[in-house]
Amino acid sequence: MTSSKSENPVTVKKAYKTLDNLAKYKNNVQQMAENGRLEPLLTLLLEGQLETKLSMAAFLGDLALNDDVKVHVAKTVGLSLIDIMRTSNLQSREATLKVLNQISSCEASAKVLIEAGILPPLVKDLFTAGFKRHPMHLKEVSATILSNLVNSGYDFSSLVIGPGNQTLVSESIVHGLLHLISNTGPAIECKLLQVLVGLTSSPATVSNLIAAIKSSGATISLIQFIEVPQRDLHLASIKLLHNLSPHMNQELADALYGTAGQLGSLIRIILQTSGITEEQAVAVAFLANLPEKDLGLTRQMLNEGAFRPIIFRVKVIRHGATKGNRFVTPNLEGLVRVLARVTYILAEEPKAVALCREHGVAWLFTDLLQANGLDNVQMLSAWALENLSLESKKLTRLPAVPPLSFCASIFSCFSKVPDIIGLCPVHGGLCSLRETLCLLEGQAVEKLVAVLDHMNQKAVEASLAALSTLLDDGVDIEQGVVVLTEAEGTRHIFSVLVAANHNENLRGRAVWAVERLLRTEGIAIDYSGDAKAATALVDAFQYGDQRTRQIAKRALKHVDKIPNFSGMVPNSDWV
């Protein structure tokens, strides 16, 4: 009746009085709390005797509370609970931790507890040695509460929790957490790893964590958790490694292939066949963040046969066998990035070339160029195709010329070598996309040209880099120009030049490609009157880096558009 909209004030007053009378007895208070009336219980928690407080705390810890109620409880009795937690009585702390564990699971109530000062006694309990003082089952609860607090989104970078202005990300605190992670049971280790995951997810605290982890020498210990059988534990460790990887990728790569079994375990997680899980997506994202040109890591992956099933998995996802999962796209992006690693070691590793030939890797990356809406997949595929195409001039096979006949060896009129049909115009030998990784087959050139229209400039830059291999030293540049022109690539490359003024990397690549195109007289004539292209080249000549200015000057010479800037002192390095 007290919660209804009764218009009879006398009735409501009597109902309140009845509830007040009922609240004088502990059993009634607990029954009222079970039915949603918490105030009497919270009052006893604040004002009752210690025994009563413990009884109410234990009962409250077992109640199912919604988030709004958790916030109310934190604001009303949070400070009182923290005070009880500071006592030396084990029973008191156990009852209190039970309640704090529940109300800290809501972000808003967790922030209330942080402001109330929960962290100093909580961290102290975690670091307290001795089973009698703080047994392991209570350390587990404390670790869970700390994990809840850290993942609330609060800024811990400057929150003092100990003497000497210690914060949660001070070196000594992080070292203490790392020590516990290596010397307690799986349940506590998992929660503390989640604490580090939360702290490394925040730009405000990640740098302190990186420094402390490096100084502790804990990298190998953290990587070893990949192999543990407990799924929650190795998921937390992989999440942490993923967060660390953008900041210390080489150290993690060295540790990963320098320890027995960890790389294989990571690959097995990535290639699990029971759908696509968060664990797989995080694992492949971690591996994808490691240095792409690390020869040792890629060779170990080759030796362990990791790339073959990755190729198969990419094909399965690409052809739609796995749908409707929020982890599909990040998983595909990670797999493509990992697969692209193999294209960076082609020159040093014959096994990598053999793998690409055997499994049609160039065909696969060409197909992935059409993964519309997946900008990163298209960009990564274009970069991989650049690497593959750079090897074509080494892999192209010159046809065997039949030996001269007896007459030809005597009479020169009989010694003419017959024309050979089917040679690659750019590489001058027998080429194919599968065997020599040549872009002239499989419509690779046309698909790369289509990416030049992309809104994502990183994808455009990657595509332009791949197409530029057809204009590189060591190939027939004139024939490369013909191939690009027939695929509408020349027009698109000039368009990229005009639009690339605010992206130095893209402008540099566009200027390089345009200068190569303009070496062909017909192209130079066609574009000599293009005011936009001339302006873009002049801007590059004036404002680009030194290499770009040199190339822009050569390009302007091809169309007789060298500007005369009065008072401009030319760089002595220009050609």
Side-chain angles (χ1 to χ4, degrees):
M1 293 183 68
T2 58
S3 60
S4 69
K5 297 181 180 179
S6 173
E7 295 181 0
N8 189 331
V10 176
T11 302
V12 173
K13 186 176 180 179
K14 287 182 178 179
Y16 272 113
K17 188 172 182 179
T18 301
L19 289 173
D20 289 340
N21 289 330
L22 291 171
K24 295 176 182 178
Y25 299 94
K26 184 171 67 174
N27 290 341
N28 293 336
V29 169
Q30 293 176 346
Q31 287 184 23
M32 284 189 280
E34 285 178 333
N35 288 280
R37 186 170 176 79
L38 282 176
E39 295 308 320
L41 185 147
L42 298 180
T43 299
L44 289 177
L45 258 175
L46 288 171
E47 302 173 1
Q49 298 296 319
L50 179 59
E51 183 181 348
T52 301
K53 287 184 176 183
L54 296 184
S55 174
M56 294 301 105
F59 186 81
L60 182 59
D62 289 327
L63 289 179
L65 307 176
N66 63 39
D67 287 349
D68 289 339
V69 174
K70 289 175 185 177
V71 173
H72 176 64
V73 171
K75 289 179 177 179
T76 306
V77 298
L79 191 58
S80 179
L81 290 170
I82 293 168
D83 286 339
I84 297 173
M85 185 179 140
R86 296 177 192 272
T87 66
S88 59
N89 184 287
L90 185 61
Q91 185 182 5
S92 301
R93 294 206 321 279
E94 184 167 4
T96 304
L97 286 171
K98 189 175 183 181
V99 182
L100 291 171
N101 185 22
Q102 181 175 185
I103 61 177
S104 66
S105 62
C106 163
E107 285 188 11
S109 55
K111 291 176 180 178
V112 173
L113 294 175
I114 294 168
E115 296 288 353
I118 188 176
L119 279 173
L122 187 67
V123 172
K124 181 181 178 181
D125 277 353
L126 272 171
F127 291 164
T128 297
F131 181 82
K132 290 184 178 180
R133 167 64 183 162
H134 203 68
M136 280 298 173
H137 74 280
L138 289 191
K139 282 190 186 290
E140 182 182 341
V141 180
S142 296
T144 304
I145 295 170
L146 184 59
S147 175
N148 291 340
L149 299 174
V150 167
N151 288 285
S152 68
Y154 197 91
D155 180 5
F156 294 96
S157 59
S158 58
L159 182 66
V160 175
I161 65 167
N165 291 323
Q166 280 186 325
T167 70
L168 197 55
V169 291
S170 293
E171 185 177 70
S172 59
I173 299 295
V174 177
H175 284 186
L177 294 174
L178 290 169
H179 176 76
L180 287 173
I181 287 170
S182 298
N183 294 281
T184 51
I188 298 174
E189 291 166 349
C190 181
K191 292 302 179 183
L192 294 181
L193 282 170
Q194 290 172 3
V195 169
L196 298 187
V197 170
L199 293 172
T200 53
S201 299
S202 167
T205 52
V206 65
S207 59
N208 296 76
L209 260 293
I210 298 295
I213 289 171
K214 285 183 177 181
S215 66
S216 71
T219 306
I220 291 176
S221 298
L222 293 174
I223 282 180
Q224 288 173 343
F225 281 104
I226 294 173
E227 284 194 294
V228 299
Q230 296 88 355
R231 182 182 177 279
D232 288 347
L233 185 52
H234 66 235
L235 174 58
S237 73
I238 294 170
K239 283 184 175 181
L240 175 59
L241 295 170
H242 174 239
N243 287 355
L244 297 175
S245 58
H247 310 279
M248 46 187 297
N249 58 3
Q250 190 58 61
E251 295 96 321
L252 291 171
D254 293 342
L256 186 61
Y257 70 81
T259 52
Q262 273 71 46
L263 179 59
S265 297
L266 187 67
I267 297 296
R268 283 191 292 275
I269 291 169
I270 291 170
L271 298 175
Q272 289 171 355
T273 56
S274 55
I276 296 177
T277 64
E278 179 189 17
E279 183 181 27
Q280 288 175 292
V282 175
V284 76
F286 163 51
L287 185 57
N289 279 345
L290 301 182
E292 58 196 9
K293 297 180 182 179
D294 188 304
L295 184 60
L297 181 60
T298 306
R299 272 186 172 150
Q300 186 167 340
M301 291 180 66
L302 270 171
N303 293 335
E304 294 190 10
F307 287 108
R308 289 176 176 80
I310 287 174
I311 292 168
F312 176 76
R313 180 63 63 87
V314 170
K315 290 178 179 178
V316 167
I317 297 175
R318 172 65 179 145
H319 293 102
T322 307
K323 294 181 178 179
N325 186 313
R326 65 190 176 100
F327 300 116
V328 169
T329 296
N331 190 260
L332 177 60
E333 289 182 1
L335 289 170
V336 171
R337 189 181 293 274
V338 171
L339 178 58
R341 297 182 63 90
V342 81
T343 69
Y344 287 90
I345 67 165
L346 296 170
E348 296 87 2
E349 183 52 73
K351 288 182 182 179
V353 176
L355 177 89
C356 291
R357 285 172 161 171
E358 180 184 353
H359 294 280
V361 168
W363 280 100
L364 179 56
F365 282 123
T366 299
D367 178 57
L368 289 168
L369 290 173
Q370 297 178 296
N372 296 325
L374 301 179
D375 294 6
N376 288 336
V377 170
Q378 292 176 294
M379 176 192 69
L380 293 165
S381 299
W383 285 124
L385 286 170
E386 180 202 18
N387 297 334
L388 293 165
S389 182
L390 286 171
E391 292 302 302
S392 294
K393 57 190 174 187
K394 304 175 188 175
L395 299 175
T396 189
R397 293 179 293 110
L398 297 176
V401 179
L404 295 177
S405 66
F406 175 77
C407 293
S409 64
I410 299 175
F411 303 105
S412 60
C413 59
F414 291 100
S415 63
K416 183 180 179 181
V417 178
D419 293 332
I420 301 174
I421 300 174
L423 295 183
C424 173
V426 174
H427 300 115
L430 298 173
C431 276
S432 70
L433 188 59
R434 176 179 285 272
E435 291 299 319
T436 66
L437 317 177
C438 177
L439 297 181
L440 270 63
E441 191 181 2
Q443 294 188 311
V445 174
E446 290 81 359
K447 292 172 183 176
L448 284 165
V449 168
V451 179
L452 292 179
D453 271 337
H454 209 293
M455 296 296 292
N456 186 320
Q457 289 196 333
K458 291 183 179 180
V460 174
E461 182 185 350
S463 177
L464 183 56
L467 291 169
S468 294
T469 60
L470 304 179
L471 305 172
D472 203 3
D473 296 335
V475 305
D476 190 324
I477 295 176
E478 287 190 11
Q479 288 300 315
V481 172
V482 171
V483 169
L484 288 172
T485 301
E486 289 177 350
E488 298 290 328
T490 299
R491 177 173 60 85
H492 282 82
I493 290 171
F494 273 90
S495 296
V496 171
L497 170 69
V498 171
N501 283 341
H502 301 295
N503 184 324
E504 192 59 44
N505 288 338
L506 184 55
R507 177 165 66 178
R509 289 189 181 277
V511 168
W512 184 93
V514 164
E515 190 276 327
R516 297 270 165 149
L517 292 169
L518 291 174
R519 293 180 186 183
T520 301
E521 185 177 1
I523 302 293
I525 292 171
D526 289 345
Y527 283 90
S528 60
D530 189 319
K532 290 182 179 179
T535 299
L537 286 172
V538 170
D539 285 345
F541 177 61
Q542 284 185 279
Y543 306 116
D545 59 33
Q546 182 172 331
R547 180 174 181 272
T548 299
R549 284 182 287 162
Q550 291 174 349
I551 299 171
K553 184 176 182 180
R554 291 201 296 269
L556 288 165
K557 282 182 178 180
H558 293 318
V559 289
D560 297 324
K561 297 288 185 180
I562 291 291
N564 181 20
F565 299 112
S566 60
M568 182 176 179
V569 180
N571 189 310
S572 60
D573 293 329
W574 289 5
V575 296

